[in-house]
């Protein structure tokens, strides 16, 4: 269940990853978590949440700031959502959820966490538009610029 998934995300985050940047380690941890969730027959939403949690936790272990941890969590959740076949709207929601949860875990206040969630949702929306061949202007609009 969810508790086992949380433990798995933590364990995946702590795995020694080859020397690379903190961001790359976070991405790798998120992808490992997504694969674990997929193998465990979790839903797309659960896959995105687990990937986000693992990436955010790894970012924390790597010494990234709470804001960066939240961003990595959101990005990993959106990426997992894409691979799980979520719509752009679902990806944005998953990114916002993962980022705001990570922000709270990292010690941010409620308003900061909400802002981190909104930023992650905007970034996910822009990426989805870009993936669909949208222009830079369309990406900016999707991001809420």
């Amino acid at each position: 269940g969810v508790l086992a998934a949380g433990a798995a995300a933590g364990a995946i985050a702590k795995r020694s990853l080859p020397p690379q940047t903190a961001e790359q380690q976070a991405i790798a941890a998120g992808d490992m978590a997504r694969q674990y969730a997929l193998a465990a027959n979790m839903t797309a939403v659960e896959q995105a949440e687990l990937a986000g949690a693992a990436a955010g936790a790894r970012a924390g272990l790597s010494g990234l700031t709470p804001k960066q941890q939240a961003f990595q969590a959101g990005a990993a959740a959106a990426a997992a959502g894409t691979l799980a076949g979520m719509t752009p709207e679902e990806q944005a929601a998953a990114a916002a959820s993962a980022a705001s949860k990570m922000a709270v875990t990292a010690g941010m206040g409620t308003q900061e966490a909400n802002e981190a969630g909104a930023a992650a949702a905007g970034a996910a929306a822009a990426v989805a538009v870009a993936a669909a061949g949208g222009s830079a202007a369309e990406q900016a609009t999707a991001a809420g610029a």
Side-chain angles (χ1 to χ4, degrees):
V2 176
L3 280 177
I12 288 164
K14 288 189 182 87
R15 267 198 214 154
S16 62
L17 297 162
Q20 47 191 357
T21 68
E23 285 84 0
Q24 287 169 326
Q25 289 178 354
I27 291 165
D31 195 56
M32 277 195 270
R34 180 193 66 78
Q35 290 171 26
Y36 166 89
L38 186 62
N41 290 320
M42 290 186 184
T43 65
V45 170
E46 289 169 331
Q47 288 174 43
E49 285 200 357
L50 190 63
R58 180 69 213 190
L61 290 173
S62 299
L64 293 181
T65 67
K67 195 171 267 190
Q68 289 170 315
Q69 291 171 41
F71 180 81
Q72 291 298 335
T82 304
L83 292 166
M86 284 184 175
T87 66
E89 291 77 19
E90 289 170 333
Q91 289 168 39
S97 172
S100 56
K101 280 179 187 163
M102 193 67 231
V104 171
T105 302
M108 284 188 184
T110 308
Q111 188 181 343
E112 280 183 309
N114 288 341
E115 285 170 7
V127 168
V129 169
S135 69
E138 287 169 330
Q139 290 171 44
T141 302

